[in-house]
Amino acid sequence: MAAAALLRGAAPGRGGRAWSWRLRAAPRLRLAHSSCCQGGKPAGSAAWTCFLLGERALVRVRGPDSAPFLLGLLTNELPLPGPAAGEASTSARSGYAHFLNVQGRTLYDVILYGLPEGSHEQPTFLLECDSSVLDALQRHLVLHKIRRRVTVEPCPELRVWAVLPCAPEEAGRAVLLQEKAECTTILTRDPRTARMGWRLLSQDEGSALVPGGCLGDLQDYHRHRYQQGVPEGVHDLPPGVALPLESNLAFMNGISFTKGCYIGQELTARTHHMGVIRKRLFPVQLSGPLPVGSIAPGTSVLTKSGQAAGKYRAGLGDVGLALLRSEKIKGPLHIRTSASGLVALTASVPDWWPTPTK
């Protein structure tokens, strides 16, 4: 099956040209390696780590009205940003956005892929979301479709991979990745931050498609993501609870303050123009005896004097995210566990955030 036919859900025989991408790395990244690498090489010789994200799924939206339809639901602008310097103009484009409810709270966080358009092909987008809300997202889209000429359908044939450089010195090397005739591949920079590397959508084994690729442990990916302060999925962004600006949506290139109306815009725009965001999601490091099963989401984070500083949101082991008042993050913080123990918590400001927030 040709690439374009599969990506657009069309019948075989209507495919477009094969594409190629150049893989470049985010600066200053270092990951723990898996012991299992492509070709049986030791992990230390790998240039890239590929993580299969089984917790992410894809929804395909295609049709003549797909762009204006999504524009009225997403926090970000369409069309998506063009390719970076040196990339082919036929490359898929990506962007980050949230779907909001009418109260302006996050429902679903998505990475949006805009596929290259051929002369006889309908505009097509792929929405990457948390797999646990795949059905809910499809219902949300169908509910608002009304008379739009769009088709909403799952895209189970493609798997989502994260591709991250193993070390800064390896990250500077350009690696050419070409689409094979028998497989379907989309490779694009992660639109949230350069610290998150690349996103790869493919039917095939991601590490086999990336020269020098090594299959990584999914927990290493989540640890890296938490250390960089990047929320992803319903555990980090509870539907109907999380606020987009407190979740650093603007820092992750996920919102436009100049676009037209979309659901949930009023509260978000008012908060932005007031210029005051008192709480944010911060990456946190835990130290001390951790309770079995980790810290419960929503556990209060306290200052040394016992004042409330915020709430723990989600994490993995000794790293995670917490929604904290910005003026409280520099002092000593702790969490009181159910066993009456204290777990020290240290918040940090990622180096990729805008300077005024540091």
Side-chain angles (χ1 to χ4, degrees):
M1 180 180 291
L6 180 58
L7 293 173
R8 289 177 171 78
R14 294 183 56 194
R17 66 173 71 90
W19 308 322
S20 64
W21 296 265
R22 184 166 297 276
L23 183 60
R24 294 175 183 166
R28 289 178 289 176
L29 287 173
R30 184 177 296 275
L31 293 172
H33 305 299
S34 169
S35 59
C36 178
C37 290
Q38 182 184 10
K41 297 178 181 179
S45 66
W48 307 93
T49 309
C50 303
F51 302 93
L52 176 60
L53 306 182
E55 300 166 349
R56 306 294 285 178
L58 294 166
V59 175
R60 180 166 42 226
V61 178
R62 58 186 173 91
D65 296 335
S66 56
F69 167 63
L70 291 172
L71 193 62
L73 297 174
L74 292 168
T75 56
N76 217 343
E77 188 63 270
L78 290 174
L80 298 168
E87 291 183 356
S89 60
T90 55
S91 297
R93 302 179 180 187
S94 64
Y96 181 61
H98 286 189
F99 288 90
L100 308 182
N101 62 17
V102 293
Q103 289 80 30
R105 295 183 180 270
T106 294
L107 289 176
Y108 319 108
D109 64 304
V110 297
I111 295 180
L112 180 71
Y113 304 90
L115 305 185
E117 294 183 27
S119 56
H120 302 290
E121 294 166 343
Q122 296 179 339
T124 302
F125 297 90
L126 295 177
L127 305 180
E128 177 197 322
C129 66
D130 190 306
S131 60
S132 67
V133 296
L134 177 63
D135 292 339
L137 175 56
Q138 290 183 83
R139 289 194 299 270
H140 182 74
L141 292 169
V142 171
L143 176 66
H144 293 91
K145 187 176 73 169
I146 311 177
R147 296 177 181 174
R148 298 279 193 179
R149 294 174 296 168
V150 297
T151 300
V152 178
E153 58 194 0
C155 185
E157 59 268 26
L158 293 180
R159 297 187 291 177
V160 181
W161 296 78
V163 180
L164 297 173
C166 293
E169 58 271 17
E170 296 166 340
R173 298 184 300 185
V175 178
L176 186 63
L177 175 66
Q178 291 186 335
E179 181 184 6
K180 302 177 182 178
E182 69 274 12
C183 71
T184 302
T185 300
I186 293 176
L187 178 69
T188 181
R189 287 180 172 87
D190 191 310
R192 297 170 294 185
T193 168
R195 297 292 186 271
M196 293 305 298
W198 293 70
R199 252 354 194 225
L200 174 66
L201 310 182
S202 175
Q203 286 183 292
D204 300 277
E205 192 75 14
S207 55
L209 293 174
V210 179
C214 169
L215 186 61
D217 187 327
L218 185 59
Q219 289 198 346
D220 289 339
Y221 167 78
H222 287 305
R223 286 187 62 86
H224 170 75
R225 184 172 60 76
Y226 284 133
Q227 289 166 348
Q228 297 298 326
V230 177
E232 183 177 282
V234 297
H235 296 295
D236 302 340
L237 301 166
V241 175
L243 288 167
L245 298 185
E246 290 184 349
S247 304
N248 305 315
L249 185 62
F251 295 170
M252 295 186 288
N253 310 306
I255 190 168
S256 170
F257 295 108
T258 59
K259 64 171 288 187
C261 296
Y262 58 90
I263 295 177
Q265 180 188 36
E266 184 177 356
L267 176 62
T268 306
R270 184 165 66 245
T271 302
H272 167 70
H273 291 300
M274 288 176 60
V276 179
I277 301 173
R278 294 183 173 85
K279 295 182 291 183
R280 288 191 181 276
L281 274 183
F282 287 93
V284 294
Q285 179 83 38
L286 304 176
S287 57
L290 299 178
V292 177
S294 75
I295 305 294
T299 300
S300 296
V301 178
L302 307 173
T303 65
K304 185 177 181 180
S305 62
Q307 293 181 327
K311 292 186 177 181
Y312 185 77
R313 176 64 60 81
L316 179 64
D318 61 349
V319 295
L321 298 171
L323 184 65
L324 302 173
R325 300 185 70 88
S326 298
E327 73 273 12
K328 303 287 188 181
I329 67 168
K330 294 184 178 179
L333 302 173
H334 68 272
I335 288 174
R336 190 176 299 277
T337 66
S338 57
S340 299
L342 295 181
V343 176
L345 182 147
T346 303
S348 60
V349 178
D351 60 2
W352 57 270
W353 280 14
T355 302
T357 65
K358 297 180 181 179

